[in-house]
Amino acid sequence: MSHVATAPGPRDDARPHAGPQVLADDPHDRELVANVHPPGWVNPHPAGRYNLVVLGAGTAGLVTAAGAAGLGAKVALVERDLMGGDCLNVGCVPSKCMIRSSRALADLRSAADLGFRVPPGSEADFPAVMERLRRIRARISRHDSARRFRDELGVDVFLGAARFASADTILVGDRTLRFKSAVIATGARAAQPPIPGLAEAGFLTNESVFTLTERPRRLAVVGGGPIGCELAQAFRRLGSEVTLFHKAAHVLNREDRDAAEIVQRAFEREGIRLVLRAEVKRVQPRGTDKVLLWSAGDEGGEVAVDEILVGTGRTPNVEGLELERAGVAWDAKRGVHVDDQLRTASPRIFAAGDVCMQHKFTHAADFAARIVIQNALFRGRKKLSALTMPWCTYTDPEVAHVGLHETEAQRRGVELATFVVRLADVDRAITDGEEEGFVKIHVAKGGDRIVGATVVARHAGDMISEITTAMVGKVGLGTLASVIHPYPTQAEAIRKAGDAYNRTRLTPTVKRLFSAWLRWTR
């Protein structure tokens, strides 16, 4: 079993930094660590005063450091574990590698519908799937490497645990970093639910599941949000028996209900056992099994599995930073407290990414970092609330969303007109055999200003960007009807939604006027 431990190195940063250790002889993980936490790294002597010190080298920290350095600022970047953060090491990159392999196997199994004779018994080579994951992750890690940031971007990279000494000073081991501005971008980690016996039995999170080299025959997934759903489907397709426990009445309960229903039906077809409105009461060992005892209303039972995967939320990484010394307000649930300009209670200290934001997405951290650069270095007044934030859950089909949901619009008192195009009415979706899905676009009633949209499709994450672009550019739904889409594509559904809106403008009065005009011009 190959994985990377992320124990911090020695506190005396004048010595070479020991960094994480690879616990198996795996060339890909060794390449990864050599890039994002090199053994033997010697921290530089600090500059007299930095324009910007960035704590955390995940997406928010890397974008902030690279962007500020590119503008000529003197920047220090501090990371105690692996540069690249969750996204590279235990999040987006490895999960999408696994999802891609699982989709290939699902396509193979359904290839008979497309006219192929598929040999029975086709199955995944799980160790090969995970080896590919590690190989691709190592390749991508070059972009986030310590040497690239030092040698190409001119950033002073410090590997080690940081803590504030005052409102303008940070300590990393025996190094003292003084700053004009600082950014807290230390991210978040997987939350552990308070289930009796869970810790004793042992469990996986997104931070450990990608270390597996053997497929668990039976897997319990606790949590039916994006992480739980993506990995439950991937493991099921790769051959595991999967039981998913979720506290709500349907999976992805924060998404559009119609969208979540499509994903739930797909899960049921693929053989994922769903236990909804569920509470896992406790976990207990039974031989080599891990047994989950659960209740759901008046029902209850137990499930014996080989592994338990927990995906029940995120906890911000604020411990050990000694934020009180810098006058930064925080709490264990919300993380660092910031205003709409991402400024903390200490005027020269900002925060960005999962440590302080509701939207815990890589792209959200990226664009928050851009706000921080402008506000910290140039006294800008850019606001987080001004961003139009799309997101996507990479199940199959994918669920992508931007803007308001119908329920949120109701709470805000925004009246909507909603236009839905089913993929079953889109020629390309029919030819692809991917008819289950839709494009749903909300406009403010009385006009065509787009205020929200949900797309359910095989590649919904790609399709949502056209709608996001329209919202950012203040392009109305009626105008999208005039955008020529190549035929046939599934994105044609967006143009069809524009056509549907334009048809609503043909009121009976308008139709009578057109009819009269046509008669007069004959």
Side-chain angles (χ1 to χ4, degrees):
M1 184 173 293
S2 170
H3 67 282
V4 176
T6 55
R11 291 298 297 269
D12 181 3
D13 280 22
R15 299 198 303 268
H17 199 277
Q21 301 297 311
V22 178
L23 300 185
D25 188 15
D26 182 278
H28 306 307
D29 278 356
R30 291 187 185 281
E31 179 184 354
L32 172 76
V33 173
N35 283 330
V36 297
H37 203 124
W41 183 268
V42 177
N43 286 335
H45 292 287
R49 190 176 182 88
Y50 289 98
N51 297 109
L52 198 63
V53 173
V54 182
L55 301 187
T59 299
L62 293 174
V63 173
T64 301
L71 294 170
K74 186 61 178 173
V75 179
L77 176 63
V78 185
E79 175 56 57
R80 68 180 180 181
D81 293 325
L82 301 176
M83 293 180 64
D86 271 17
C87 182
L88 170 68
N89 298 292
V90 296
C92 310
V93 170
S95 68
K96 301 315 167 279
C97 287
M98 179 177 277
I99 287 169
R100 179 65 184 92
S101 295
S102 72
R103 280 193 178 190
L105 188 57
D107 287 342
L108 180 64
R109 289 169 177 163
S110 63
D113 295 336
L114 302 176
F116 286 85
R117 294 189 182 94
V118 181
S122 300
E123 63 180 13
D125 181 344
F126 191 81
V129 168
M130 303 308 282
E131 188 274 338
R132 175 184 179 271
L133 179 158
R134 295 192 301 276
R135 170 165 44 85
I136 290 176
R137 179 173 60 184
R139 175 183 171 186
I140 292 175
S141 71
R142 302 165 195 166
H143 307 307
D144 299 344
S145 70
R147 290 183 178 86
R148 174 176 177 260
F149 270 73
R150 181 190 65 187
D151 300 340
E152 297 181 21
L153 303 179
V155 174
D156 283 356
V157 177
F158 294 82
L159 299 181
R163 65 191 190 280
F164 282 92
S166 69
D168 67 351
T169 306
I170 289 170
L171 303 178
V172 184
D174 69 343
R175 305 299 204 212
T176 300
L177 282 57
R178 303 189 184 280
F179 59 83
K180 293 182 180 178
S181 296
V183 181
I184 303 166
T186 49
R189 63 188 183 277
Q192 178 179 337
I195 300 172
L198 177 64
E200 292 77 6
F203 63 96
L204 302 167
T205 68
N206 71 291
E207 294 166 7
S208 54
V209 70
F210 303 115
T211 67
L212 293 176
T213 56
E214 295 181 7
R215 181 189 64 208
R217 185 173 67 85
R218 301 163 302 171
L219 176 70
V221 178
V222 180
I227 292 174
C229 283
E230 288 180 5
L231 293 179
Q233 187 179 43
F235 272 96
R236 176 62 189 139
R237 289 178 164 187
L238 293 173
S240 297
E241 298 173 12
V242 176
T243 303
L244 188 152
F245 296 90
H246 190 45
K247 62 184 179 181
H250 59 86
V251 300
L252 299 178
N253 52 290
R254 295 185 180 179
E255 294 290 353
D256 178 281
R257 188 178 184 88
D258 295 335
E261 179 63 29
I262 290 175
V263 174
Q264 186 158 310
R265 287 201 301 266
F267 281 14
E268 291 168 344
R269 282 197 307 270
E270 294 182 19
I272 297 173
R273 180 188 178 190
L274 300 176
V275 184
L276 303 174
R277 297 188 178 91
E279 179 186 1
V280 178
K281 307 294 285 187
R282 67 182 184 276
V283 178
Q284 62 187 36
R286 185 177 299 164
T288 59
D289 291 346
K290 302 175 183 183
V291 181
L292 295 86
L293 288 85
W294 58 272
S295 64
D298 296 332
E299 299 182 8
E302 61 180 46
V303 175
V305 298
D306 304 297
E307 296 285 359
I308 301 169
L309 172 62
V310 172
T312 55
R314 309 286 291 164
T315 298
N317 293 324
V318 291
E319 297 82 0
L321 296 176
E322 300 188 23
L323 297 172
E324 300 83 356
R325 293 178 178 271
V328 173
W330 61 279
D331 65 67
K333 184 175 182 179
R334 288 172 50 198
V336 175
H337 297 183
V338 294
D339 62 16
D340 201 18
Q341 296 174 6
L342 295 175
R343 193 185 306 270
T344 71
S346 182
R348 66 175 67 207
I349 300 174
F350 296 76
D354 291 4
V355 75
C356 65
M357 290 164 49
Q358 177 185 1
H359 291 314
K360 299 187 188 310
F361 311 126
T362 294
H363 50 282
D366 182 329
F367 277 79
R370 298 163 192 250
I371 290 173
V372 163
I373 291 170
Q374 295 178 70
N375 292 351
L377 297 183
F378 304 107
R379 299 181 182 179
R381 297 185 178 276
K382 298 291 183 179
K383 294 183 177 181
L384 184 67
S385 61
L387 297 179
T388 300
M389 188 64 64
W391 63 81
C392 184
T393 298
Y394 297 94
T395 48
D396 188 9
E398 296 175 353
V399 178
H401 180 79
V402 65
L404 297 179
H405 285 294
E406 290 168 281
T407 53
E408 188 178 1
Q410 290 172 0
R411 288 196 301 270
R412 296 188 184 187
V414 178
E415 291 191 68
L416 298 179
T418 299
F419 299 87
V420 180
V421 176
R422 302 285 172 182
L423 292 190
D425 297 321
V426 178
D427 292 354
R428 181 57 185 271
I430 296 171
T431 62
D432 287 341
E434 298 171 0
E435 300 176 45
E436 194 168 25
F438 58 78
V439 169
K440 179 185 289 189
I441 301 179
H442 308 299
V443 300
K445 201 164 187 178
D448 72 341
R449 179 174 65 89
I450 301 171
V451 296
T454 297
V455 179
V456 183
R458 193 84 188 277
H459 301 287
D462 296 316
M463 292 171 65
I464 199 69
S465 292
E466 179 178 352
I467 304 171
T468 306
T469 300
M471 292 175 66
V472 171
K474 296 181 172 51
V475 174
L477 181 56
T479 301
L480 288 184
S482 65
V483 176
I484 301 173
H485 290 69
Y487 177 88
T489 59
Q490 293 190 22
E492 191 182 9
I494 298 170
R495 194 264 303 160
K496 286 177 175 285
D499 287 340
Y501 165 76
N502 283 337
R503 285 194 292 272
T504 66
R505 300 170 66 188
L506 295 173
T507 63
T509 300
V510 171
K511 289 181 179 179
R512 284 197 300 272
L513 290 173
F514 276 152
S515 180
W517 168 258
L518 292 172
R519 287 196 302 271
W520 183 77
T521 56
R522 276 203 298 245

